[in-house]
Amino acid sequence: MISIFKTQKHKLLVVTLLFTVFSYAQRNSNMWKAQIALGLNSPSQSGFVEGFESKSTNFPTINAGFQRMFKPQFGAKLDFGFNRFSDGGDSPEFKINYTRINVQAVYDPTEKLTFLPEQIGLVAHAGPGYTFVKPLGDFANNKVSFLNVMAGLEVHYGLSKYMSLYADVSYILGLGSDFDPVIDGFGSFNGNLLTITFGITFSLSGCQYC
């Protein structure tokens, strides 16, 4: 009888311990979110050498990242972006893959904006990164990479505590050097990029800072 009592007591202790750990994890969860979005891009024409220009609007832009909220209003995210743009007008034929990776600060002022509808939220983000430009076809050797600084604003529409649809408008300032000699810039790019994307944000671990 005593043995059975001790066994039950041990089981109860284990269950209590697991429940405590689980509850603590839940209270400290969802500081983590993931995002994925698809949209359009518009490169600055000043990023091309003379004689080359791209279409004003290009598809696709693909963004994906992970976000960590340290407080309800402040966080950080690591995100990746892929963009494709190509020649337009009288320019020689070219295509460019523009890839970036950025570490950004995140600021969510939604709680202070009491005039917003309950399901609407705003999130601002900005931070440094690195850009990789890879021309395709005849100009494949004119690869270039450089630092960038990115800033943007997201408008979220909440579907639930754990998920929202969002639109993002971002501007990526390219910090690349001038092409020297100019021939190194044929079919390549070292300028700024505007992106507009639409996507989904979802919680990875509960809903503390949704």
Side-chain angles (χ1 to χ4, degrees):
M1 190 68 161
I2 295 176
S3 177
I4 294 175
F5 177 76
K6 287 184 177 179
T7 300
Q8 294 297 328
K9 186 177 180 180
H10 289 160
K11 287 182 179 180
L12 182 61
L13 182 62
V14 170
V15 170
T16 303
L17 181 62
L18 289 175
F19 179 78
T20 302
V21 171
F22 179 76
S23 298
Y24 178 82
Q26 286 294 93
R27 288 196 301 271
N28 288 275
S29 63
N30 186 61
M31 296 163 276
W32 288 100
K33 301 177 184 178
Q35 292 183 308
I36 187 165
L38 179 67
L40 306 171
N41 66 75
S42 180
S44 61
Q45 298 304 323
S46 61
F48 300 99
V49 298
E50 187 175 353
F52 287 80
E53 63 179 23
S54 77
K55 297 175 183 176
S56 59
T57 304
N58 299 268
F59 177 86
T61 290
I62 301 170
N63 293 333
F66 293 98
Q67 181 174 295
R68 170 72 153 85
M69 298 302 289
F70 301 106
K71 293 183 177 181
Q73 290 180 309
F74 298 98
K77 70 175 179 177
L78 174 67
D79 68 323
F80 162 89
F82 171 83
N83 304 268
R84 165 73 64 81
F85 41 89
S86 58
D87 61 277
D90 298 325
S91 174
E93 184 177 349
F94 70 87
K95 287 185 179 180
I96 292 174
N97 287 347
Y98 177 110
T99 306
R100 63 158 188 87
I101 186 167
N102 286 74
V103 177
Q104 301 185 70
V106 173
Y107 174 61
D108 183 348
T110 303
E111 288 186 3
K112 295 184 177 181
L113 304 177
T114 55
F115 58 87
L116 289 175
E118 185 176 354
Q119 289 179 294
I120 301 297
L122 296 179
V123 177
H125 57 89
Y130 206 72
T131 293
F132 305 88
V133 173
K134 181 181 179 181
L136 306 177
D138 295 340
F139 306 107
N141 291 329
N142 288 345
K143 299 176 184 178
V144 65
S145 56
F146 47 85
L147 294 172
N148 73 61
V149 177
M150 179 177 184
L153 180 67
E154 301 170 0
V155 180
H156 289 253
Y157 178 81
L159 299 176
S160 71
K161 291 182 179 181
Y162 307 97
M163 187 178 299
S164 67
L165 299 177
Y166 76 100
D168 175 89
V169 178
S170 293
Y171 194 76
I172 306 164
L173 179 67
L175 303 178
S177 302
D178 292 338
F179 293 111
D180 187 18
V182 174
I183 192 174
D184 287 347
F186 286 4
S188 192
F189 179 76
N190 66 353
N192 308 327
L193 189 68
L194 174 69
T195 65
I196 300 175
T197 56
F198 302 89
I200 188 168
T201 296
F202 52 93
S203 168
L204 295 177
S205 55
C207 193
Q208 182 173 346
Y209 300 145
C210 293

